[in-house]
């Protein structure tokens, strides 16, 4: 769907959190300028000057044709955090980090034909699957063959178009400093991505490509990192955190911090963004609580959950979502309010649009009683009714409740709790007795604890004594905890939430958005993606948002490269 739309000042709590996360900044509260000004570069900016001669040449082929690519590896901040050699990665396994600064490094790959092109776009690619910390890496390696016409080769498409490819490393959940501190806590990944953008802006006149034409790209956790950065461009909230790591364009100190460089982007290409984490569990259970059962809910680590435990928790958690959604005041395309009473209807209408597109393209969409076939399951269609057949078929009816049950049958649902999962509902490895980081709980809290519960239900029901989280350890109810002096959780939740900045003030969001979430993707709720879509299109600074629920696609990204890059090319052409 393509539609055209008709501050927080940094607090003492934010500065405290900055000192914890960055390990370099800290201090008292600061008022940060949201509008960049021109000033003489400070010492840190001088140290971040781009060296055009410091590159290696990589030989690749694109569509069978040889291409030379200049490749630069750059630490993009002046005060990078030195990391431990052993790091946690996706799934909780460990890896050895060969470069202690790989989480704050970019790899810039420039096709030789674009070396002198100051206008070409920058494809700014982030990773962070599952919101896990991400060392910089690139697939643009010696001898690699790319196919620009493939629907799954976005790097090949970018190189063919002459774009500069920027692969970005960021700290995030699981990141540990050399001295043992957990330094990937929110908002570290967003801050690091913004710092990388600021490096590109600082050196725009010295580097190929235009930092005014940055197109961010990411999937899953990286999809929301894309959305969080693209929604919050130039906002003052981030300035103390940027100062703590020596990001470009921050001047002053203490209460006089200001920004001289922008960190907004031109476009966001976000696949299945795991977004709005503070409300994601409530949204997930609002979507799935009616179909929750012990049999369709994943059990982790061989744990046999108590009968009925997770369905009961699901019902309790779901109750919080209507109040949140109804309080946003978002409007649908017809001008009516988007509410908990009609968001399922709105999602259904988006699904119908996608199915209608598929029918028009000749896709054999099954009739009632025929089978939907995915890579995971073959399931009879009991939710979609068509009138007619072939490309002349029309949608006679879509039973949304049965569709949700179909999605839950196609792939087992996430545990309850899906996102704030640590220390609750028996989410413990049966063999080791260790509480599993299956959700994003370890993205929050301070650097001295591995995790902190970040939602009301999980905080209240925390089952682990001594973890520094929950009523059991603190004696504080959820509301008292959020209101307590020096608490930083509310700030952490806001600074990684694109909806907070799209519906707030003081930011310069990307004007162009391309967002996709697969029709059988149960990794976050459809309602959360429909909400995000409307938050984007409700922002007056957004010129266009293309949003779809791609037909029978699961949790993945960069599967529609030709469509996405045609869209990118069109937006760039309209803004020469």
């Amino acid at each position: 769907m393509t539609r055209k739309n008709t501050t927080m000042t940094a607090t003492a709590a934010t500065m405290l959190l900055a000192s914890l996360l960055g390990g370099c900044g800290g201090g008292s509260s600061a008022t940060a300028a949201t509008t960049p000004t021109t000033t003489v570069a400070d010492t840190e900016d001088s140290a971040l000057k781009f060296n055009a001669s410091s590159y290696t040449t990589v030989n690749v082929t694109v569509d069978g044709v040889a291409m030379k690519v200049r490749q630069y590896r750059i630490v993009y901040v002046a005060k990078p955090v030195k990391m431990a050699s052993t790091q946690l990665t996706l799934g909780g396994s460990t890896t050895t980090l060969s470069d202690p600064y790989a989480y704050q490094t970019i790899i810039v790959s420039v096709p030789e034909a674009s070396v002198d092109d100051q206008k070409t776009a920058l494809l700014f690619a982030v990773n962070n699957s599952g919101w896990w910390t991400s060392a910089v890496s690139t697939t643009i390696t010696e001898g690699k063959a790319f196919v620009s016409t493939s629907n799954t080769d976005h790097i090949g498409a970018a190189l063919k178009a002459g774009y500069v490819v920027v692969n970005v490393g960021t700290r995030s959940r699981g990141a540990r400093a050399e001295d043992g501190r957990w330094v990937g806590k929110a908002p570290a990944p967003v801050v690091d991505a913004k710092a990388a953008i600021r490096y590109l802006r600082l050196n725009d006149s010295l580097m190929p490509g235009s930092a005014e034409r940055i197109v961010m790209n990411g999937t899953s956790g990286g999809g929301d990192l894309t959305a969080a950065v693209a929604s919050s461009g130039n906002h003052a909230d981030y300035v103390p955190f940027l100062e703590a790591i020596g990001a470009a364009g921050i001047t002053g100190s203490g209460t006089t911090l200001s920004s001289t460089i922008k960190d907004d982007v031109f476009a966001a290409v976000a696949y299945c963004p795991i977004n709005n984490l503070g409300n994601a569990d409530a949204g997930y259970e609002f979507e799935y609580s009616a179909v929750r059962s012990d049999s369709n809910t994943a059990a982790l680590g061989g744990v046999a959950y108590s009968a009925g435990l997770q369905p009961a928790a699901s019902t309790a958690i779901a109750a919080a979502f209507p109040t949140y959604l109804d309080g946003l005041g978002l409007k649908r395309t017809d001008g009516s309010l988007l509410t908990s009473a009609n968001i399922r209807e709105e999602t259904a209408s988006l699904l119908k649009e996608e199915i209608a597109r598929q029918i028009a393209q000749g896709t054999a969409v099954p009739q009632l009683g025929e089978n939907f076939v995915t890579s995971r399951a073959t399931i009879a269609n009991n939710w979609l009714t068509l009138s007619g057949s072939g490309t002349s078929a029309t949608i006679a009816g879509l039973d949304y409740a049965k569709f949700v049950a179909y999605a839950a049958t196609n792939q087992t649902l996430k545990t309850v709790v899906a996102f704030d999962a640590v220390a609750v509902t028996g989410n413990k490895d049966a063999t080791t007795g260790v509480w599993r980081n299956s959700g994003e709980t370890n993205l929050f809290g301070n650097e001295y604890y591995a995790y902190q519960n970040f939602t009301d239900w999980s905080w209240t029901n925390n089952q682990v004594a001594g973890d520094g989280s929950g009523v059991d350890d603190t004696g504080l109810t959820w509301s008292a905890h959020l209101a307590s002096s020096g608490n930083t959780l509310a700030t952490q939740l806001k600074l990684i939430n694109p909806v907070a900045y799209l519906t707030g003030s003081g930011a310069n969001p990307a004007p162009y958005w391309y967002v996709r979430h697969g029709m059988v993707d149960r990794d976050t709720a459809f309602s959360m993606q429909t909400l995000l879509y409307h938050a984007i299109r409700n922002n007056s600074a957004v010129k266009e948002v293309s949003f779809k629920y791609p037909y029978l696609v699961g949790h993945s990204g960069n599967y529609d490269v030709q469509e996405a890059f045609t869209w990118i090319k069109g937006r760039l052409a309209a803004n020469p």
Side-chain angles (χ1 to χ4, degrees):
M1 172 170 289
T2 301
R3 298 246 167 88
K4 185 174 180 179
N5 280 355
T6 53
T7 166
M8 181 181 82
T9 301
T11 62
T14 304
M15 289 302 295
L16 172 62
L17 187 58
S19 68
L20 291 175
L21 297 179
C24 303
S28 59
S29 62
T31 300
T34 58
T35 303
T37 57
T38 301
T39 187
V40 177
D42 62 16
T43 302
E44 288 177 356
D45 285 4
S46 297
L48 293 172
K49 183 177 179 180
F50 175 70
N51 182 355
S53 64
S54 181
Y55 65 87
T56 58
T57 299
V58 178
N59 296 283
V60 300
T61 62
V62 179
D63 302 332
V65 178
M67 176 185 288
K68 290 185 179 296
V69 178
R70 293 187 183 183
Q71 202 162 82
Y72 302 83
R73 187 181 178 98
I74 303 161
V75 175
Y76 54 75
V77 291
K79 296 186 286 188
V81 180
K82 191 173 185 180
M83 306 304 296
S85 59
T86 300
Q87 296 289 331
L88 290 174
T89 60
L90 180 65
S93 59
T94 60
T95 187
T96 300
L97 197 65
S98 58
D99 176 1
Y101 302 112
Y103 292 150
Q104 292 176 308
T105 294
I106 53 176
I107 296 174
V108 180
S109 300
V110 186
E112 284 280 2
S114 300
V115 166
D116 297 319
D117 187 346
Q118 288 284 304
K119 291 290 290 181
T120 194
L122 309 181
L123 182 69
F124 188 93
V126 295
N127 192 0
N128 299 92
S129 295
W131 275 105
W132 282 95
T133 195
S134 177
V136 69
S137 64
T138 182
T139 59
I140 305 173
T141 56
E142 185 67 25
K144 185 69 178 286
F146 296 95
V147 181
S148 72
T149 57
S150 166
N151 245 337
T152 58
D153 190 350
H154 67 301
I155 298 300
L159 293 174
K160 179 71 171 183
Y163 301 160
V164 174
V165 177
V166 183
N167 291 104
V168 185
T170 61
R171 296 167 299 157
S172 194
R173 57 186 286 228
R176 203 152 200 181
E178 186 181 45
D179 61 9
R181 293 173 299 123
W182 300 102
V183 291
K185 304 289 188 176
V190 181
V191 171
D192 283 354
K194 284 176 173 284
I197 291 166
R198 285 168 170 265
Y199 177 91
L200 298 172
R201 277 254 169 63
L202 175 70
N203 292 288
D204 200 13
S205 64
L206 303 176
M207 299 180 70
S210 170
E212 300 303 317
R213 295 159 76 80
I214 293 174
V215 179
M216 284 195 71
N217 172 277
T219 297
S220 190
D224 192 40
L225 177 54
T226 295
V229 172
S231 65
S232 61
N234 309 324
H235 202 285
D237 285 356
Y238 300 89
V239 169
F241 302 93
L242 291 162
E243 190 277 334
I245 58 174
I250 307 298
T251 62
S253 61
T255 60
T256 63
L257 286 177
S258 63
S259 176
T260 64
I261 290 177
K262 300 186 297 178
D263 53 43
D264 59 305
V265 299
F266 175 78
V269 178
Y271 292 94
C272 51
I274 302 298
N275 74 94
N276 200 344
L277 286 172
N279 300 287
D281 277 312
Y284 199 84
E285 302 314 324
F286 174 84
E287 194 82 81
Y288 289 114
S289 62
V291 298
R292 279 283 190 190
S293 67
D294 290 332
S295 62
N296 73 358
T297 298
L300 294 175
V303 174
Y305 296 116
S306 300
L309 172 64
Q310 296 205 79
S314 175
T315 300
I317 293 167
F321 188 69
T323 300
Y324 168 69
L325 174 60
D326 297 346
L328 290 175
L330 295 173
K331 291 185 177 181
R332 304 162 78 185
T333 53
D334 65 2
S336 64
L337 288 175
L338 179 71
T339 68
S340 56
N342 62 35
I343 193 169
R344 295 182 176 98
E345 171 191 324
E346 188 66 19
T347 302
S349 71
L350 292 165
L351 293 169
K352 288 177 182 178
E353 289 187 13
E354 174 63 13
I355 292 166
R357 277 190 293 268
Q358 294 297 322
I359 291 172
Q361 293 168 10
T363 301
V365 177
Q367 296 280 347
L368 198 66
E370 295 178 346
N371 289 332
F372 282 106
V373 180
T374 71
S375 61
R376 291 183 178 275
T378 298
I379 303 171
N381 170 22
N382 70 340
W383 55 272
L384 178 67
T385 304
L386 302 179
S387 177
S389 60
T391 56
S392 63
T394 58
I395 299 170
L398 191 156
D399 187 319
Y400 188 73
K402 290 182 178 178
F403 164 75
V404 170
Y406 161 72
T409 304
N410 184 71
Q411 184 178 4
T412 302
L413 294 176
K414 286 186 171 182
T415 60
V416 183
V417 181
F419 301 98
D420 190 5
V422 182
V424 293
T425 55
N427 189 15
K428 183 188 293 186
D429 188 287
T431 302
T432 65
V434 174
W435 290 86
R436 297 169 61 98
N437 285 324
S438 61
E440 282 72 15
T441 316
N442 62 335
L443 186 59
F444 299 96
N446 69 42
E447 60 190 354
Y448 300 110
Y449 285 95
Y451 60 85
Q452 181 182 94
N453 293 120
F454 59 90
T455 60
D456 187 346
W457 193 92
S458 291
W459 178 270
T460 303
N461 290 275
N462 180 289
Q463 299 173 348
V464 180
D467 64 353
S469 187
V471 178
D472 57 340
D473 280 4
T474 67
L476 297 174
T477 65
W478 174 249
S479 58
H481 171 61
L482 288 182
S484 62
S485 175
N487 173 64
T488 60
L489 184 57
T491 299
Q492 287 182 297
L493 287 167
K494 179 186 178 185
L495 268 64
I496 64 163
N497 181 7
V499 174
Y501 290 93
L502 290 163
T503 60
S505 61
N508 301 122
Y512 299 102
W513 293 72
Y514 183 98
V515 183
R516 299 290 185 266
H517 180 87
M519 188 178 288
V520 291
D521 182 354
R522 63 49 155 161
D523 277 38
T524 193
F526 301 108
S527 293
M528 297 304 293
Q529 305 295 33
T530 298
L531 188 165
L532 175 63
Y533 161 59
H534 284 290
I536 296 168
R537 57 165 296 276
N538 272 245
N539 189 291
S540 61
V542 174
K543 295 181 179 180
E544 181 183 323
V545 52
S546 173
F547 179 88
K548 291 181 183 178
Y549 284 115
Y551 183 70
L552 300 188
V553 170
H555 191 69
S556 56
N558 296 311
Y559 44 74
D560 58 352
V561 167
Q562 299 311 305
E563 180 182 3
F565 272 74
T566 297
W567 181 87
I568 292 168
K569 182 179 178 181
R571 308 298 78 72
L572 292 169
N575 296 270

